[in-house]
Amino acid sequence: MVATTADVAAFAGSLGAPAGARQPTTYPIRWLTRPELVDLVRDLAADRPGSLPVHELQTVEMLSALPLDRELSLAAEVRRTDEIHLALDVAVSDAGAPVARLHAVLRLVP
């Protein structure tokens, strides 16, 4: 996956940041909507048809500056923690060097 300069600027603008502002540290949270992760969430919630996974908690821990316009790796663990919760833990790296850690708890809402 790649964080392009244009995507990060558009994300910052959507938050009301002026042009040229510092990169939003929350930008990587966008990667939780990647099709591979959405598929895992859907599969883990298959026993609750019609439920909507709603963010109950999310954290982004930036370990270094977000490299722009370079291929980054994403490793994810998605698991069911109880009847109505799923947890996502995602590590983002740049050529093996840690860039960010993401954690999200989703509540399955009928």
Side-chain angles (χ1 to χ4, degrees):
M1 108 205 100
V2 176
T4 68
T5 302
D7 284 345
V8 172
F11 183 78
S14 73
L15 298 175
R22 179 176 70 84
Q23 291 178 9
T25 56
T26 55
Y27 176 82
I29 209 73
R30 295 184 64 221
W31 295 325
L32 296 182
T33 62
R34 291 183 58 84
E36 311 92 300
L37 294 178
V38 170
D39 290 346
L40 288 170
V41 167
R42 185 188 59 243
D43 292 348
L44 285 171
D47 65 325
R48 299 183 66 88
S51 290
L52 179 66
V54 176
H55 281 260
E56 187 170 276
L57 168 96
Q58 61 189 28
T59 60
V60 178
E61 180 183 8
M62 295 304 298
L63 305 170
S64 69
L66 181 64
L68 298 179
D69 303 314
R70 292 171 40 167
E71 189 65 34
L72 301 172
S73 298
L74 183 142
E77 178 187 351
V78 183
R79 64 195 177 286
R80 187 79 172 260
T81 58
D82 62 31
E83 186 177 329
I84 62 167
H85 290 102
L86 292 97
L88 293 83
D89 289 295
V90 180
V92 181
S93 60
D94 176 22
V99 173
R101 285 192 291 251
L102 313 172
H103 176 71
V105 174
L106 304 177
R107 177 185 292 261
L108 300 173
V109 178

